Amino acid sequence: MKEVFSVIGALFLSVFSFAQSTTQSGLSPDRFDEVIDGKRTGLYTLVTSGGMEACVTNYGARLVSLMYQGKDLVLGFDNVSDYRKYRQNYGATVGRYVGRIYGASFVLDGQVVKLQENGRGVTSHGGYPGFADKVWDVIGYTDSTLTLQYVSPDRENGFPGELTVRLTYSITCRECYSEKEKRFVQTPALELNYEATTTEPTVLNLTNHSFFNLSGNLQNTVMSELLMVNSDSIATFDENKNLNGAFLPVEGTPFDFCHQPRRIGDRIDEDNEQLRITGGYDHSFVLNTCGDDSKPAASVYDEDSRIRMTVYTTEPVLHIYSGNGLKGNTPGKQGISYPRRSAICFEAMHLADSPNHPTFPTTVLRPGDTYRQHTAYVFSSLSAE
């Protein structure tokens, strides 16, 4: 009964959001009001007293905009139709399994599980349609939180078990220590909490795929932004961009962002085998945080906007992607066609192809257990530090 009232309340608030003219980021909620696969999509606005605003659509459980210091910091589209048309993962929840599963199969409890194959011998991002292509149910909505749910049927794209996933987006204030002021200060954060249960043993690897640009000018590249990653090694690819089971220490390589902040573009075009395979950064950094989401996993800072974002997560890996595949030929928000390397992604996750690599941290989920992930993107500005 409680969930019924939550849905009714969410529908009421959804209607209210449609009545708004625009959001802080200039989005029109009525451009997200469609019916897809018999379910209604909408745009949901979350705010804090500190002025941060996040807009989320239940189509693909996507982050559409993120306003901080008067700037929109994420790439995306200003209507749900373009998300369907261009099938880009801007802001999307990717699942059941982010990354590639080699051979489109794995062995679980002695049984071979066959998955949907993409024509190149792998299952990518859980197959198509994936979680990014689904309309999620709104089961809770307040001024600062939105809870979405998707029930993935047994054998969807080959994955065993009926899987129930809940994702809560929250805009919060967190205490962070200011070196400048020598005290703790309140800073805004976007927090994502995932929970999932299954009816059969299965594998699961979820992430959010937001494209960040902290300059607030989404036509800029992110090559001058300063990056730190709390990681001593990356997982390496073979020539076909499948994980080969090996790890590369980052020290002394273009992947060394661990010891001091460095501009993303400083070494991105060096003659390096891993960079050649992917055309830039598109790699899983193994975190030193060991699942402790009180320790920073990574941070990125834009000197012009003076905005810093720090990432915290319970996941063992951050897959960092420098927008190498953006081509400047797809019109996004404000009519901007996002150029190559105009964003950086921080995908909190487990390693791709873990089901085929017993030495990787397991992604197996069993009946009676609950998958949980917490990831926070915490923001500050130079004037607040």
Side-chain angles (χ1 to χ4, degrees), residues 101 103-106 113-117 123 156-160 203:
I101 296 180
S105 66
F106 60 93
V113 177
K114 295 284 190 180
L115 304 175
Q116 181 193 89
E117 194 261 337
T123 299
E156 183 172 41
N157 297 341
F159 288 92
V203 295

Side-chain angles (χ1 to χ4, degrees), residues 56-68:
V56 177
T57 178
N58 60 324
Y59 178 69
R62 296 171 184 266
L63 178 67
V64 178
S65 67
L66 185 65
M67 295 293 294
Y68 177 65

Side-chain angles (χ1 to χ4, degrees), residues 48 58 79 125 156 166 175 215 231 244 257 289 329 369:
T48 63
N58 60 324
N79 64 90
H125 286 346
E156 183 172 41
R166 287 190 178 184
E175 278 198 341
S215 75
S231 169
N244 58 19
F257 295 95
T289 52
N329 57 3
D369 295 335

Side-chain angles (χ1 to χ4, degrees), residues 15 38 75 111 219 265 295 298 340 346:
V15 171
L75 278 57
Q111 301 295 316
Q219 297 180 92
K295 298 177 180 178
R340 185 172 188 242
F346 297 89

Side-chain angles (χ1 to χ4, degrees), residues 94-101 106 115 123-127 131 159 203-207 349-356 360-364:
V94 180
R96 279 191 193 191
Y97 205 100
V98 60
R100 296 182 177 189
I101 296 180
F106 60 93
L115 304 175
T123 299
S124 181
H125 286 346
F131 288 8
F159 288 92
V203 295
L204 180 63
N205 195 12
L206 301 174
T207 197
M349 54 185 276
H350 276 58
L351 289 166
D353 205 26
S354 290
N356 291 316
F360 289 1
T362 184
T363 55
V364 174

Side-chain angles (χ1 to χ4, degrees), residues 127-301:
Y128 179 78
F131 288 8
D133 310 294
K134 301 294 184 178
V135 179
W136 293 50
D137 297 318
V138 178
I139 63 171
Y141 182 32
T142 71
D143 287 345
S144 59
T145 66
L146 175 68
T147 299
L148 303 169
Q149 178 173 286
Y150 175 64
V151 179
S152 175
D154 181 30
R155 304 294 159 175
E156 183 172 41
N157 297 341
F159 288 92
E162 180 181 275
L163 185 80
T164 301
V165 182
R166 287 190 178 184
L167 165 60
T168 298
Y169 281 95
S170 303
I171 294 286
T172 63
C173 286
R174 291 170 58 116
E175 278 198 341
C176 291
Y177 188 74
S178 168
E179 289 292 344
K180 180 180 179 180
E181 299 185 28
K182 303 301 181 185
R183 65 182 181 90
F184 285 94
V185 297
Q186 293 288 324
T187 59
L190 175 69
E191 305 201 39
L192 284 71
N193 282 282
Y194 294 89
E195 290 189 354
T197 57
T198 182
T199 60
E200 293 182 31
T202 193
V203 295
L204 180 63
N205 195 12
L206 301 174
T207 197
N208 176 270
H209 206 307
S210 288
F211 288 65
F212 293 96
N213 184 321
L214 298 193
S215 75
N217 183 344
L218 304 184
Q219 297 180 92
N220 289 347
T221 76
V222 295
M223 293 299 96
S224 64
E225 293 186 356
L226 293 166
L227 176 65
M228 283 195 73
V229 187
N230 191 357
S231 169
D232 293 318
S233 64
I234 62 165
T236 55
F237 292 118
D238 65 17
E239 287 291 330
N240 297 313
K241 203 180 170 184
N242 297 308
L243 290 186
N244 58 19
F247 296 89
L248 173 72
V250 301
E251 188 171 3
T253 77
F255 298 90
D256 189 355
F257 295 95
C258 187
H259 299 94
Q260 63 182 16
R262 190 160 51 79
R263 297 186 194 281
I264 296 167
D266 279 355
R267 303 182 67 182
I268 195 170
D269 291 318
E270 283 192 11
D271 184 13
N272 174 278
E273 180 184 26
Q274 287 299 306
L275 290 176
R276 177 179 55 78
I277 290 169
T278 55
Y281 298 115
D282 191 2
H283 293 79
S284 290
F285 287 73
V286 180
L287 298 173
N288 297 326
T289 52
C290 300
D292 184 348
D293 59 353
S294 69
K295 298 177 180 178
S299 67
V300 61
Y301 177 68

Side-chain angles (χ1 to χ4, degrees), residues 73-94:
L73 305 181
V74 296
L75 278 57
F77 298 111
D78 63 6
N79 64 90
V80 75
S81 295
D82 281 348
Y83 281 108
R84 299 186 72 195
K85 177 180 179 181
Y86 295 111
R87 293 198 56 239
Q88 176 57 261
N89 279 320
Y90 292 136
T93 295
V94 180

